[in-house]
Amino acid sequence: LRVLVEAIDDVMDDPADKQGLHANIVSLLETRLKIVAHRHRNPDIGKEKIEAPLIVIGLPRTGTTALVDLMAQDPAARVLYQWETAHLFPPAERDRWDDDPRIAELEAHMQADAALRRIMELGLHTFGARLPDECNSMLTLDFKSPNLSVAMHLPRYSEWLRFANYRHGYRLHHQVLQQLQYHGRGGRWTLKSPFHVFDLSGLLAEYPDAMFVQTHRDPQQLMPSMCGLYATIRGEGDSHPRRAETGRELCELYGTGMRRALAARRDPELDARIFDISHRAMVEDPLGTMRSVYAHFDLEFSAEAEQRSRRWIESPT
C-alpha cells in the first residue's frame, strides 16, 4: 500500500484524480477488513477445503480468457464470476446465489459502460456479470496486482511488482475462495490469472494439489497484442508520446514474470503439475484442446460439458 501511494504521488498532481484513487483504495481496505471480520465471526469458513483447483497461468493475450470461458461451460466447474469479485462483501446468500440482485445490477452497468469504454467496444476482453473473472481481483486486496496500474503509468509500483513476494496475497486469495465456497455453490474451482507466473511456488504452497495449465504464444505476437490492450485502456493512440513507455513497462514486467516462471519450473515436482498448450491449438481446435486438458489431468469431460462447450464455441455470450 505504501509503494502504491508513493507511486501515485510520483505521477499525479490533479487533486480530483487523487481523490478518486483515494476512494478506491479505501474501498479495497474496507472490503478486506470486512472479509477478515466476517471470517472471525464465522469460523466454519476456515474449514472449507479448496481441493485440486484447475488454474490457468499463461501470459496475457495467450488465450487464457478464452480457455477459462470455455471451461466454465462444464457444470462440474466452479469459476470466479465477475459479479462475485465486484461484490466480495457482503457475501451472497446461498439460496439466492443464482439470482442475487447484484448480478442484474452489474450487467446493466456493464452494458451502459460498453459505449464509453473502447476496450469493450472493440471486444478486446470479455465482460459479463456471469462470465469468469481473474484472480487479480483477490490479489488486489493485498495491493499486489497489475489491476492497480493498468489504467495509468506507475513506474515505481510496476518495478516493485516485478520482484514482490506474493505469499501473503495467496493466503488472502485462499481465504476469499473459502468464503465464496461457504456461501455459494460448490464444484471444482477453475481459475486463471496471467499474473500467477510471478510466483508459481507460492501458489502451489497454498494449493498443494493444484493442476496448472500454461498457455503459450509467440512473444512477437503476444507483446504487441498486450501493449495494444494497455494503450487502449490508457487512451494512448498511435502517436501518443507514452505509447512506447507502455511497451517498455510491459516487456520488463512480464519478461520478469516469465523468467520467474521458468525458474520455478526447474522444480520437477512443480513442473510435473503443469500442462502446456499453445495459443494456436486453442484457436484452431478449442474443443480438442479442452479434451486434452481433461485427459491429461484424468478429469471427466461429460456429455453435458461437451454439448455446452460446443454451443459456446458457436456463439459465445
Side-chain angles (χ1 to χ4, degrees), residues 15 27 97 113 117 122 145 173 211 220 238 244 295 301 305 312:
S27 178
W97 190 83
D113 204 30
R117 295 180 62 185
L122 295 174
S145 167
H173 179 284
M211 302 171 284
Q220 293 184 85
D238 292 344
F301 191 42
W312 178 263

Side-chain angles (χ1 to χ4, degrees), residues 29-212:
L29 287 167
E30 288 178 345
T31 299
R32 173 171 169 158
L33 289 170
K34 287 174 181 177
I35 288 171
V36 171
H38 182 67
R39 187 182 182 88
H40 284 311
R41 290 193 300 269
N42 300 272
D44 283 347
I45 292 176
K47 299 176 184 178
E48 290 289 324
K49 302 295 184 184
I50 309 299
E51 296 179 338
L54 182 59
I55 307 175
V56 179
I57 60 172
L59 287 181
R61 317 308 290 171
T62 61
T64 58
T65 298
L67 181 57
V68 172
D69 283 351
L70 191 56
M71 288 177 169
Q73 306 313 304
D74 183 355
R78 169 63 162 103
V79 299
L80 186 68
Y81 291 98
Q82 291 182 30
W83 74 267
E84 290 181 295
T85 59
H87 302 288
L88 288 175
F89 200 89
E93 299 176 18
R94 185 179 291 272
D95 59 351
R96 293 292 310 278
W97 190 83
D98 284 321
D99 62 348
D100 189 298
R102 294 174 295 184
I103 301 175
E105 290 173 7
L106 181 62
E107 193 65 48
H109 175 75
M110 287 178 166
Q111 292 298 325
D113 204 30
L116 303 175
R117 295 180 62 185
R118 187 71 172 158
I119 183 176
M120 298 176 72
E121 179 187 348
L122 295 174
L124 294 175
H125 197 63
T126 56
F127 293 90
R130 293 184 185 272
L131 290 178
D133 201 359
E134 296 184 338
C135 297
N136 294 357
S137 297
M138 292 179 284
L139 296 176
T140 298
L141 293 173
D142 201 48
F143 298 98
K144 298 186 182 83
S145 167
N147 287 17
L148 294 166
S149 59
V150 68
M152 69 182 73
H153 288 274
L154 297 176
R156 182 185 299 198
Y157 181 72
S158 182
E159 181 68 12
W160 177 81
L161 274 183
R162 293 172 63 194
F163 306 105
N165 185 310
Y166 296 91
R167 298 300 172 96
H168 188 271
Y170 283 130
R171 195 171 306 126
L172 186 58
H173 179 284
H174 194 160
Q175 292 173 0
V176 173
L177 284 190
Q178 287 178 312
Q179 175 174 300
L180 293 174
Q181 184 169 286
Y182 179 80
H183 289 284
R185 54 165 292 216
R188 180 188 61 253
W189 280 102
T190 303
L191 307 166
K192 80 106 169 177
S193 171
F195 211 65
H196 288 322
V197 295
F198 282 81
D199 194 0
L200 295 181
S201 298
L203 189 57
L204 184 61
E206 201 62 41
Y207 304 104
D209 56 356
M211 302 171 284
F212 300 119

